[in-house]
Amino acid sequence: NIRADMPAMEDDEEDLNELPDACPEIRIALDSCCIALGADKVYRALKDVVKHYDMKVKVKSVGCMGMACNSPLVEVAIPGEETMLYAKVEPHEAVKVIMKHFPPKNLIKRFVNKLDLGINHLLDDNHWRPIETQLLRKRAETSAAFFGPQIRIATEHCGEMDPLDLSEYRAKDGFVAYEKVLTEMSSEEVIKIVTDSGLRGRGGGGFSTGQKWTFVLNAVGDKKYAIVNGDEGDPGAFMDRMLLESYPFRVIEGLAIASKSVGATEAFFYVRAEYPLAITRIQQAIDICMTAGLLGKNIMGSGFDLEISIIKGAGAFICGEETAMINSMEGERGTPQTRPPFPAISGLFGKPTLINNVETFSNISYIIRNGPEEYAKHGTVKSKGTKVFALAGKVIRGGIIEVPLGITINDIVYKIGGGVGEGRTFKAIQMGGPSGGCIPARLGETAIDYEELKDLGAIMGSGGMVVLDDTDCMVEIARYFLSFAKEESCGKCSIGRLGTTRLNEILERICAGKGKKADLAELEDLGNHVVAGSLCGLCGTAPNPVLTTLKYFREEYEAHLNGHCPAGKCKDLISYVIEDHCIGCTICAQHCPTDAIAVTPFRQHFVEDDLCIKCDLCFQVCPEDAIFIK
């Protein structure tokens, strides 16, 4: 379970307050991903060791460092020295990390402490010996490859700040832009800067942020609202969660600037309830801002009032669509509405409403502080700035990345992600979640921007990136994403409800080896009709995984029609065969849950197809690689 509270105890804050600002820091990321892998236990172990040795060292919880593949991550930052990053740290290794950089100078004290430390559960016989240098060197190389091509704007000061330390955020220019907007700038001036920056909505469609703000500013209404859309539900996507957990003040600042600029006096975070840590940190950050006078009545004496609340979504993917989200917030069923009118004119409770994605708001303070030109120097002609992606799938180094738009797919997969596993081949990348498409490896030099991806049949989406290798079946991938869209469809329009259901039925039949040639033409025809006729973007883009895999991997569909799955993934089209170099160790038979493999010691084993459920256990445990998939 992910704990919604910070692992730090009350006395930890007192310890930090007693230390000078320039003292060394040991930073550990405590976002959901890291806590799930035991980072809170490592944090406590680090605190225990530092406290026992009475070291003048801060052990500080920070936001996500991005490299989820190597969590828990511990960074040692000593003023004037290069920071060192340690990956996959276990609680018992806390002592080694600390002794590497801060060894006790008194040998007698070290020996006495060794006898009675009060932290014996963390020690081994060589607890003060340095960590092997080759491990440090290897991790440094990995770190440079992963972080090198990235540019930090939405994730500025990544891995450096305590997410809920307002003084630290303000020391790094936090709320400087907000104060400037409140005291020096008109709404038109702010919106012009955002427009000139070229910032486009980071939630999927890529609509001009400045233009949307202009619509809300000019809309007539006695009250206006602003909403942060944090209803992230794409499989493989976790960008919004990371930003909310790691940069709550930054998102709040962007929301407050937007609210002031368009005339909204009440704002909301709409966050899915499956993100308890994100919700908790946002609420804590809101409370801190209220106490500091950054929210509430007559903020900074400007006459501007702003109240911010959190509304928890119930986990319906459809509520990421603006009008469906508004219905949900009003207590109605989360179904989309026909547009126009758009939310900018008639949104929440019929009032003009500004809705932007979490990442969109995360860029605002940077743009106001540094100017539109500084932001627009990154990216392409039509797609300015950077984009945060969740890099997942078969890539070696997965996690959260922020890259300039215009970077190629190959640069992300190979330079940042380190490519796919040894012996495997990069096959495709699925972008944009269930609404996205599959782009083949042969188009890996494609620049990532809104127009380029659209031309290939994919979309930027909110930023999900799933890397696929030669062990992935593209027909099964299309079926998986289509089945997700079908299940999450609200069912309001018949073409979306029935179209996705019918598409899913055809794909299931093909994966089961029961497809016919006419099915491919029907998939294309029906898919195009669903795109053209659906009420909202969910069903209107749901056929994208099907249409792109048909376009780029048609030979795999045809192979399925002939009863063969080239990737060996579709259970009804494969069988497990044990070759004659089997040594009869019986390990496969011992793991078989259905007794499809008889126990015959020291003799070649065989799989009974009628009993085999294709669980793949025998293939995974065979020590001689004597089992292959046919």
Side-chain angles (χ1 to χ4, degrees), residues 159 176 195 455 551:
V176 168
T195 302
D455 290 343
K551 178 179 180 180

Side-chain angles (χ1 to χ4, degrees), residues 110 141 468 553:
R110 284 168 58 181
E141 291 170 357
L468 309 171
F553 300 96

